Amino acid sequence: MNHLKMHSLNKIDENISKIANLFPNCVTEAKDENGEITHKIDFDMLKQELSHSLVEGREERYQFTWPDKKQAILTANAPINKTLRPCREESVNFDETENLYIEGDNLEVLKLLQETYLGKIKMIYIDPPYNTGNDFVYNDDFSQDADDYMSNSGQTDEEGNRLVANTESNGRFHTDWLNMIYPRLKLARDLLSDDGVIFISIDDKEEENLHKLCNEIFGESNFVGNIIWQSRTSISNDDEISTNHNHTFVYSKNRELLIFGGEDIDSDEYINPDNDPRGPWKLVPIDANHVGGDTLYPIKNPKTGIEYLPPNGRCWCYNPQTMKELMDDGRIKFGLTDDSSPKRKLFLNERLEKGDVKTPSSLLLDAGTTKTGTTEIMNLFDGEKVFDYPKPTTLILRLLKYGLLKENDIFMDFFSGSSSSAQALYNYNYLKKTKCKFIMVQIPENFDETIKTAGINARKTIKCAINFLDKIKKPHLLTEIAKERIRRAGNKLIEGHTDCKDKLDIGFRVLKIDSSNMEDVYYTPDHIDTNALFKNNIKSDRTGEDLLFQTMLDLGIMLSSKIETKKINSKEVFCVEGNYLMACFDDSVDEATITEIAKEKPYYFVMRDPANSKDGDSLITNFEQIFTTYSPETVRKIL
């Protein structure tokens, strides 16, 4: 039941609505005098609609823009003082796994990963929030300090991540969504390898805008295709046409370097009615579009004597000499009964030997549905429906095959939701015998908050999720559902394939975004209080492992790197990837300890700033001399 307006009619809004009905292209989004986004009339366009001749006005040019687009660009480029803190107790096989599960706002995470993972991600899949009027979009604001951010967010998690309902009535329906997705895709492009590819699922409401936006970010020439996925089979009566599909846009980083995968070859398509010793085959066309050279000539059927020319406007794929060689080798056949136009035999065994795949179609009608995705997650969660409309792993597995991940490639999903993508990668590694790694990123959405504004059906699902989390004694966060799913999916895969127990990496290293490990004085040394000259510049609640991960981010070292610890003169020393990085964050590290570390000849060495002690200057000088003696090539850094 709707509320009464209880105020007089807004004639301006009524008039805009009337014009929108007559000339929808004349209504746009713009800022009003208060800086708020609202619907306005494009009067230049309206004049042209009402004129019989060309109306002179602003210079026309092709562009795709919206209010605050420049601010979205600034948002993508703005630095942040944040870090990623490891959480061993929530991880699986922390020391050995190369998979990462990162909790936090994905824009901040993408910023933090720029140094370390620049150009290193082979494939990205994302299923961002759709503009349904009920979903949530991320409201980015890095100008506030942590306390203000927390108090304004309406959330109770530590990171203070904000979720804002994006309803059409707020006047910013498309604008908010574009400002949310633009900086994230801009940063994601930089993470892709030169031969990398990104898949983006979206519905009809933002399909057009997303296509234009991706053309701008990735380049129109890098558009690979639009895969239409049948997301449901049942017919809905909610609208004039039942929407049974989603779009998945595919863009490459560099189309010239992209090697695209495809479908597995269906052996049922191959037959061998003539008992060819080379095995089963199927017939494929031998005509092409203007190949060039001597390719327009008749081919005579030796059985019937009929001569065949290529179809109108086309040529044969081969010149006469090559064609004769193929015919002599029994590779040209005139239909299954030898009485039609010529085609070439394509042998199954030869395709399998070359590792060929079947070119994928833009229509995916057999990759599961959202119902399949729901069934999958219920099977993992004891029959409980704890997540609405998850993408089925069957869909993502198909996309992984198209992305053609090879040994040790990195796959990323920074809108990972219930982590269907992580489960799909586990399955991919098992099927392809690869060791690809994932990076899942998800904001820790608080179910206690989102249930307040959720629709009836969504509220039921959220209640199921909350009840389940209470059973396993976990906070009411979406990320807890996702992590539990990954644990169960990995265990289920191993249970069904015990022979792969030691070959598959079913672990994941949990990292959580947080404020910097460093006190404010670290970033503003010029404002240091002279009465606190030796004040510790590291926050008191941070561990050595916290400092290690921020150091790895700063130095561009993979967050999945193998980490070992050892004791040297009772001091804790971290060793990353052997001795590539050695770090000691204990207080009062003495010269004997530094000497032992220097003898290990690490590439990097990092420690706390000795300047925070009263003998700091002399200690730094002594440490430098030690490394000059034992390992002059080591890059030395201090916090």
Side-chain angles (χ1 to χ4, degrees):
M1 187 178 295
N2 296 325
H3 290 284
L4 294 171
K5 291 186 175 65
M6 301 297 284
H7 59 68
S8 62
L9 184 65
N10 186 324
K11 296 293 292 181
I12 295 177
D13 288 346
E14 183 185 18
N15 291 337
I16 290 176
S17 179
K18 290 177 180 177
I19 292 174
N21 288 332
L22 292 172
F23 307 108
N25 61 318
C26 295
V27 178
T28 185
E29 293 178 356
K31 288 185 179 181
D32 63 15
E33 60 275 8
N34 298 317
E36 299 294 326
I37 302 299
T38 185
H39 288 118
K40 284 194 172 184
I41 300 298
D42 183 337
F43 287 103
D44 288 335
M45 186 63 72
L46 182 60
K47 287 178 184 177
Q48 188 62 67
E49 290 285 359
L50 301 176
S51 175
H52 292 289
S53 59
L54 182 64
V55 175
E56 295 295 333
R58 293 173 294 179
E59 180 182 354
E60 293 182 320
R61 62 189 177 93
Y62 183 81
Q63 61 177 337
F64 176 51
T65 191
W66 62 90
D68 291 331
K69 181 179 181 181
K70 291 182 179 178
Q71 182 59 50
I73 296 173
L74 289 174
T75 298
N77 296 329
I80 56 172
N81 288 337
K82 294 290 185 79
T83 190
L84 294 173
R85 300 179 66 184
C87 186
R88 280 182 170 271
E89 61 273 17
E90 297 178 20
S91 304
V92 175
N93 199 15
F94 185 95
D95 290 319
E96 300 298 329
T97 185
E98 294 188 79
N99 300 315
L100 300 178
Y101 186 88
I102 305 177
E103 295 187 32
D105 186 307
N106 52 19
L107 181 60
E108 295 180 324
V109 173
L110 290 169
K111 286 172 179 280
L112 290 174
L113 298 183
Q114 287 297 302
E115 182 80 26
T116 305
Y117 290 90
L118 187 71
K120 294 179 181 176
I121 308 296
K122 178 63 169 65
M123 175 179 164
I124 296 174
Y125 170 76
I126 57 170
D127 181 25
Y130 298 167
N131 246 345
T132 64
N134 297 313
D135 285 321
F136 289 85
V137 298
Y138 297 62
N139 188 4
D140 308 314
D141 186 347
F142 302 117
S143 62
Q144 297 174 299
D145 63 34
D147 291 338
D148 290 340
Y149 194 59
M150 284 286 290
S151 63
N152 292 336
S153 69
Q155 295 276 357
T156 56
D157 59 274
E158 293 181 346
E159 290 76 12
N161 300 302
R162 296 195 291 171
L163 294 173
V164 179
N166 189 41
T167 60
E168 191 164 12
S169 60
N170 72 4
R172 299 178 59 109
F173 190 55
H174 296 295
T175 295
D176 271 348
W177 192 86
L178 287 166
N179 284 329
M180 179 277 293
I181 199 68
Y182 183 87
R184 289 166 171 82
L185 290 180
K186 195 169 185 293
L187 292 167
R189 181 190 178 277
D190 293 334
L191 296 180
L192 279 177
S193 60
D194 288 340
D195 61 345
V197 61
I198 183 170
F199 297 78
I200 310 169
S201 289
I202 199 66
D203 68 352
D204 286 338
K205 286 190 174 65
E206 292 297 344
E207 174 265 338
E208 179 184 8
N209 285 333
L210 180 63
H211 198 172
K212 291 178 180 177
L213 187 147
C214 287
N215 281 345
E216 178 175 315
I217 292 175
F218 296 96
E220 192 170 352
S221 63
N222 287 316
F223 174 62
V224 178
N226 177 13
I227 299 172
I228 308 298
W229 168 57
Q230 185 179 23
S231 57
R232 57 185 291 177
T233 55
S234 60
I235 300 299
S236 169
N237 296 319
D238 294 340
D239 217 330
E240 289 81 5
I241 297 177
S242 177
T243 302
N244 285 42
H245 71 279
N246 281 165
H247 304 264
T248 298
F249 285 117
V250 187
Y251 279 84
S252 60
K253 177 74 169 288
N254 185 334
R255 187 68 180 274
E256 294 181 358
L257 299 177
L258 178 66
I259 301 176
F260 208 63
E263 306 285 2
D264 295 332
I265 295 174
D266 185 0
S267 60
D268 292 339
E269 296 179 358
Y270 294 78
I271 57 176
N272 194 7
D274 59 354
N275 295 316
D276 193 308
R278 289 165 290 195
W281 48 267
K282 72 175 183 177
L283 295 178
V284 295
I286 57 172
D287 57 279
N289 184 23
H290 299 294
V291 173
D294 185 13
T295 55
L296 186 58
Y297 55 90
I299 299 177
K300 186 177 181 178
N301 184 334
K303 179 179 178 181
T304 65
I306 298 175
E307 293 186 337
Y308 294 91
L309 288 169
N312 289 337
R314 297 177 70 82
C315 299
W316 297 125
C317 294
Y318 314 104
N319 59 34
Q321 181 180 347
T322 303
M323 183 65 71
K324 183 179 184 306
E325 292 172 357
L326 290 171
M327 292 188 73
D328 292 344
D329 194 30
R331 291 178 180 267
I332 299 297
K333 190 169 176 60
F334 293 80
L336 292 177
T337 54
D338 294 322
D339 57 0
S340 59
S341 60
K343 289 183 171 59
R344 179 173 65 89
K345 280 185 175 181
L346 184 64
F347 291 96
L348 174 62
N349 289 337
E350 291 178 350
R351 295 198 71 186
L352 294 176
E353 287 172 4
K354 292 192 298 183
D356 279 356
V357 293
K358 183 179 178 181
T359 301
S361 168
S362 62
L363 294 177
L364 268 183
L365 307 178
D366 58 348
T369 63
T370 53
K371 185 177 180 180
T372 309
T374 300
T375 301
E376 283 181 330
I377 201 168
M378 289 177 68
N379 288 340
L380 289 173
F381 283 85
D382 308 325
E384 296 286 345
K385 184 184 178 185
V386 296
F387 194 85
D388 267 329
Y389 308 117
K391 289 291 186 290
T393 59
T394 46
L395 169 66
I396 301 173
L397 182 60
R398 293 283 279 277
L399 301 182
L400 286 166
K401 292 178 180 179
Y402 298 167
L404 206 62
L405 271 69
K406 297 185 178 65
E407 192 73 10
N408 295 317
D409 278 342
I410 302 175
F411 167 60
M412 184 181 199
D413 182 347
F414 54 87
F415 283 100
S416 61
S418 69
S419 286
S420 297
S421 292
Q423 184 177 352
L425 188 71
Y426 283 164
N427 295 338
Y428 181 87
N429 280 334
Y430 168 72
L431 291 171
K432 296 293 184 178
K433 304 296 185 284
T434 54
K435 294 183 180 179
C436 299
K437 298 161 278 195
F438 68 67
I439 300 176
M440 298 289 114
V441 184
Q442 178 59 41
I443 193 169
E445 181 181 328
N446 190 322
F447 288 141
D448 294 330
E449 294 295 325
T450 56
I451 197 172
K452 297 176 182 177
T453 55
I456 295 175
N457 292 332
R459 201 174 301 133
K460 290 179 181 178
T461 302
I462 294 173
K463 284 181 178 178
C464 285
I466 290 174
N467 291 337
F468 180 83
L469 291 170
D470 284 340
K471 288 179 184 176
I472 62 173
K473 296 180 172 54
K474 298 289 184 181
H476 297 169
L477 302 174
L478 170 56
T479 47
E480 296 298 336
I481 290 289
K483 286 180 289 188
E484 185 64 19
R485 175 183 187 161
I486 303 174
R487 294 184 193 104
R488 293 182 176 219
N491 291 335
K492 184 175 181 179
L493 182 62
I494 293 299
E495 288 170 4
H497 306 93
T498 53
D499 56 315
C500 297
K501 184 175 182 181
D502 298 326
K503 299 176 183 178
L504 290 174
D505 179 2
I506 58 166
F508 56 95
R509 187 175 281 183
V510 176
L511 306 172
K512 298 187 179 186
I513 202 163
D514 205 337
S515 60
S516 171
N517 294 312
M518 316 309 292
E519 296 281 8
D520 291 342
V521 66
Y522 184 86
Y523 300 102
T524 56
D526 294 340
H527 297 85
I528 190 170
D529 183 357
T530 55
N531 294 322
L533 183 60
F534 306 121
K535 179 182 177 181
N536 193 342
N537 60 4
I538 297 171
K539 292 176 180 174
S540 59
D541 64 335
R542 303 305 165 96
T543 66
E545 202 161 61
D546 289 334
L547 297 174
L548 177 67
F549 273 84
Q550 187 160 9
T551 297
M552 291 165 67
L553 281 172
D554 198 80
L555 296 178
I557 298 173
M558 304 282 272
L559 300 178
S560 58
S561 297
K562 188 173 181 60
I563 301 169
E564 297 178 312
T565 59
K566 62 172 69 173
K567 288 289 185 178
I568 299 179
N569 293 336
S570 74
K571 302 295 184 182
E572 183 180 50
V573 178
F574 294 97
C575 302
V576 180
E577 291 297 328
N579 290 346
Y580 182 73
L581 164 66
M582 295 184 71
C584 181
F585 302 113
D586 287 7
D587 291 320
S588 305
V589 179
D590 54 28
E591 294 180 16
T593 303
I594 295 297
T595 300
E596 291 300 315
I597 293 173
K599 289 179 179 179
E600 298 280 352
K601 300 185 183 302
Y603 184 84
Y604 284 111
F605 171 67
V606 181
M607 63 181 291
R608 288 179 182 240
D609 188 352
N612 289 317
S613 64
K614 62 180 180 179
D615 299 322
D617 291 340
S618 61
L619 286 172
I620 291 176
T621 300
N622 292 341
F623 293 165
E624 290 289 348
Q625 290 175 348
I626 292 170
F627 271 98
T628 300
T629 301
Y630 293 100
S631 184
E633 302 299 323
T634 296
V635 180
R636 285 93 77 182
K637 302 282 186 179
I638 57 175
L639 298 181

